Amino acid sequence: EEKRMLVVRDRQLQALAHAALPDWIAQHLKQFFPRECDALGEAALRIRVREGIARAAAHGFETSVHISQYVDLMVVFGADFYIVPALSWPQPILSDRSVSAATRIERLLEAGCRQGEGT
C-alpha cells in the first residue's frame, strides 16, 4: 500500500490565508472595536474590511498583521484617514518608501497613538 503525502506549496498557503483574512480581520475588529462594529452593521463592516485590505495592499502592506493594523487605523481615524486634510501625519509616513512596510506601519501606529493622546 503506497502512502501519499499531501504537499501544500507556499503559494497555496498564501492563497488560503488570503481567503481567510477578511473573516479573521472582521472577528478581530468585533473583539477590539465592538461599538464601532455595531454602529457599522455586519454588511458595512464586511465592505470596510475588503476596502481596508485593498488599501493596505495599495500602500505596500502584505502581511496579515500589517493589513489588520492598517484596518484598525481605518476604524479609529476613518476609512479615508490617509487623505483627510485635518490628519497631516499619515501621508508622509505612507509615502516614505525608503523604509520597510514594517517600519511604516509601526510609525503609523505610533503617530496614531500620539493623536489619541492629544499630543
Side-chain angles (χ1 to χ4, degrees), residues 99-110:
V99 296
S100 69
T103 298
R104 284 185 289 122
I105 197 71
E106 186 178 307
R107 289 178 181 173
L108 277 175
L109 293 168
E110 288 171 358

Side-chain angles (χ1 to χ4, degrees), residues 28 64-74 105-106 109:
H28 164 82
S64 56
V65 171
H66 293 164
I67 292 168
S68 178
Q69 290 169 327
Y70 184 89
V71 177
D72 288 352
L73 288 164
M74 286 178 61
I105 197 71
E106 186 178 307
L109 293 168

Side-chain angles (χ1 to χ4, degrees), residues 56-114:
H59 288 299
F61 300 112
E62 297 176 352
T63 71
S64 56
V65 171
H66 293 164
I67 292 168
S68 178
Q69 290 169 327
Y70 184 89
V71 177
D72 288 352
L73 288 164
M74 286 178 61
V75 170
V76 173
F77 294 105
D80 297 323
F81 80 95
Y82 65 100
I83 54 171
V84 174
L87 298 178
S88 60
W89 53 272
Q91 195 55 48
I93 296 169
L94 286 167
S95 62
D96 184 2
R97 296 299 178 113
S98 70
V99 296
S100 69
T103 298
R104 284 185 289 122
I105 197 71
E106 186 178 307
R107 289 178 181 173
L108 277 175
L109 293 168
E110 288 171 358
C113 286
R114 285 195 301 274

